[in-house]
Amino acid sequence: MGKIIEVTGLKKSYGEVRAVRGIDFYVDAGSLFAFLGVNGAGKSTTIDILSTMLAQDEGHVTIGGHALGRDDQKIREIIGIVYQDSLLDALLTVQENLSIRGSFYGLAKEDLRKAVSRAAKIVNITDILGRPYGKLSGGQRRRADIARALINTPKILFLDEPTTGLDPESRESLWQTLREIQKDTGMTVFFTTHYMEEASSANFITMIHRGQIVARGTPAELKDTYSSDFLRIVPKNPEEMAAHLNAANIVFTTEAGVFAIAIGTTTEAIPIIEAQKANIASFEVLMGTLDDVFINITNAQDKGVGK
């Protein structure tokens, strides 16, 4: 699996605001790639640059072997883009919107018809092609937006915060569709998000904070590196539990009668439970999450302590 996107030293400022501060990363071809960060972290600026909509101040970018700034038209021919705000006309039907957008690619009439039909089938909107775009639900609109981006059969699909404003059911349905597209076509899907649960479905995550890359890896790698599992115990005798943990040099916290112990792996809970099982009213082992990863990394960066 080769690199389909390579970014080196990318910078972009708006006056005194340094939105992107010399970032480096790459995206493997055919992967589901998450660009994760809070609002204002630099995600949208980066995706606007990669999609040729915004010029960088510094840095080198290649997309599908084409150099950004030199081969922009060739880049546009191999990418599809779904923006936060739709580009489709609320008064026109979905069919009319897709046909008009598809005509920008210079397709012959029959080729255009086939391209629209194919895109509609991929995102499962063939039954609403005749309905005005403005009358659709949020989830249906997002599917239509994605169909528009798929008309030119792109090698790379960019999605900027694709589920913003959608209800949980529509979000899950949309992500199921995106995963199927990526799996069935081998298309590279690059999406920005601030939702941890969305990033967890990606093959690879790159996290940006205040315009800088602060972490990268698979979801499992990030959880292993930046989060801990926890053993939570409700003891029958808190004093006895505290004395045992202190004697064993085990660090713990307590809140509302619950002892919380950070552990490297879930199996590290076993000897603690065995040693105090007569004193345990209840316990649970909680695995680290991407929420923990995100909080730990951003808190460390905000305090000036990088990892």
Side-chain angles (χ1 to χ4, degrees), residues 3-142:
K3 300 174 183 177
I4 197 167
I5 300 174
E6 296 184 76
V7 177
T8 306
L10 187 65
K11 294 183 180 181
K12 182 65 181 180
S13 296
Y14 302 97
E16 298 298 317
V17 178
R18 297 169 63 198
V20 178
R21 306 184 180 201
I23 62 176
D24 306 315
F25 68 91
Y26 66 88
V27 179
D28 285 325
S31 66
L32 183 60
F33 179 91
F35 202 50
L36 175 65
V38 299
N39 291 332
K43 304 188 304 297
S44 292
T45 294
T46 301
I47 207 170
D48 284 348
I49 292 172
L50 298 186
S51 60
T52 76
M53 300 301 293
L54 183 67
Q56 73 268 41
D57 295 335
E58 296 181 35
H60 182 69
V61 178
T62 58
I63 299 177
H66 305 299
L68 186 69
R70 186 191 68 197
D71 306 321
D72 287 3
Q73 183 54 42
K74 292 181 179 178
I75 291 174
R76 294 183 189 117
E77 291 171 359
I78 64 169
I79 66 173
I81 315 166
V82 179
Y83 299 101
Q84 291 187 38
D85 299 319
S86 177
L87 301 177
L88 301 185
D89 191 313
L91 299 179
L92 298 179
T93 67
V94 176
Q95 176 86 45
E96 291 167 338
N97 267 297
L98 297 183
S99 296
I100 290 172
R101 296 293 168 177
S103 68
F104 296 165
Y105 297 106
L107 298 175
K109 186 175 181 180
E110 182 59 20
D111 291 335
L112 175 58
R113 185 193 66 77
K114 290 179 179 178
V116 169
S117 177
R118 178 188 56 81
K121 287 179 181 177
I122 289 175
V123 297
N124 195 26
I125 60 168
T126 54
D127 59 330
I128 60 171
L129 284 174
R131 294 177 57 186
Y133 178 80
K135 299 293 185 181
L136 304 180
S137 68
Q140 290 171 329
R141 291 187 189 188
R142 223 57 184 128

Side-chain angles (χ1 to χ4, degrees), residues 1 28-34 182 187-189 191 198-206 217-221:
M1 184 183 294
D28 285 325
S31 66
L32 183 60
F33 179 91
Q182 191 265 337
M187 185 183 302
T188 303
V189 178
F191 69 94
E198 291 184 353
S200 67
S201 66
N203 301 122
F204 198 85
I205 299 171
T206 291
T218 66
E221 289 169 346

